[in-house]
Amino acid sequence: MCQGRKQMEALALKLQRREVLGKKVSVLRRSGFTPVHLFGRGIASLALQSRTRELILVLARAGQNVPISVTVEGQEGEHLAFVREVQWHAYRDEVLHVDFLRVELTQRIRSEIPIVLMGDAPAARAFNGSAVQHLRTIAVEALPLEMPQRVEVDISGLDDLEKAIRVKDIAGLHSSVVILSDPDAMIARVE
């Protein structure tokens, strides 16, 4: 009835060390760069920058659940990271700052995964109702490369007003993914 989708390959992003700090970062933004921070277990927080155009493309594909392979110019190796926070301008569609959380491949992490309803609910047509999504995300814990990008929930089984889909109905996730949300929480039903 419900399935998880996995994203096994990390996106890639190149970052440069940032010398401009504090209120002077507006100059950085005008020149086509966005300030970012990379932090996590085992490394000191790094003040970095990214070309804004490249960063926006990666953010659009990654969301907060797809791992990103981050390399820092002048540094050997790469870091596996997830987007943890994106700061947006209050009035313009402009990214002001991004925080990346570096993780270990063997370290389990927690994340909120979006729930996407798929299909049509027969009860919506039969009883002149509509399918209502009560829960938009679920909390899960998984290894970084096994983190689902989203969970797809098929609502075609909702053929009367008494039926509902709950978190405990979710199946098809990788065996190492642990759902942390309340199993009895309702995802969708026809009303």
Side-chain angles (χ1 to χ4, degrees):
M1 179 179 275
C2 307
Q3 291 194 29
R5 287 280 170 107
K6 281 194 297 187
Q7 179 70 31
M8 295 299 283
E9 272 186 47
L11 298 168
L13 182 65
K14 283 190 174 189
L15 302 175
Q16 298 93 34
R17 291 203 174 270
R18 176 166 45 107
E19 303 298 326
V20 179
L21 303 170
K23 294 183 179 188
K24 299 175 186 174
V25 294
S26 60
V27 173
L28 187 70
R29 290 186 191 106
R30 282 195 298 271
S31 64
F33 288 89
T34 300
V36 302
H37 271 100
L38 177 66
F39 65 95
R41 188 183 298 176
I43 64 166
S45 180
L46 299 173
L48 304 166
Q49 65 189 29
S50 172
R51 293 196 180 279
T52 301
R53 180 173 274 169
E54 291 172 26
L55 180 63
I56 289 173
L57 290 173
V58 168
L59 291 176
R61 291 184 56 206
Q64 292 189 321
N65 304 318
V66 175
I68 302 167
S69 176
V70 174
T71 55
V72 178
E73 198 172 87
Q75 211 180 59
E76 284 194 33
E78 60 186 29
H79 304 278
L80 187 66
F82 286 87
V83 175
R84 274 301 157 242
E85 184 179 357
V86 180
Q87 294 175 1
W88 293 90
H89 191 280
Y91 308 112
R92 297 188 299 266
D93 190 27
E94 179 182 321
V95 176
L96 298 178
H97 182 89
V98 178
D99 285 336
F100 291 99
L101 173 64
R102 179 190 173 272
V103 297
E104 297 289 333
L105 285 174
T106 58
Q107 173 191 349
R108 296 179 66 80
I109 58 172
R110 294 176 179 208
S111 189
E112 290 286 324
I113 307 301
I115 298 170
V116 179
L117 298 184
M118 307 295 287
D120 292 319
R125 271 178 276 141
F127 300 103
N128 200 24
S130 60
V132 177
Q133 186 170 357
H134 292 270
L135 194 60
R136 304 254 176 228
T137 64
I138 59 167
V140 301
E141 182 180 83
L143 292 171
L145 293 180
E146 294 166 355
M147 182 64 67
Q149 185 176 2
R150 66 181 178 271
V151 174
E152 293 180 351
V153 175
D154 180 8
I155 60 171
S156 62
L158 297 176
D159 54 7
D160 71 44
L161 296 176
E162 300 300 315
K163 290 187 177 178
I165 299 172
R166 300 187 182 280
V167 170
K168 63 185 171 191
D169 299 323
I170 294 174
L173 294 174
H174 191 278
S175 61
S176 72
V177 176
V178 175
I179 298 175
L180 303 172
S181 296
D182 177 5
D184 292 320
M186 185 183 309
I187 294 173
R189 71 178 291 167
V190 174
E191 297 177 2

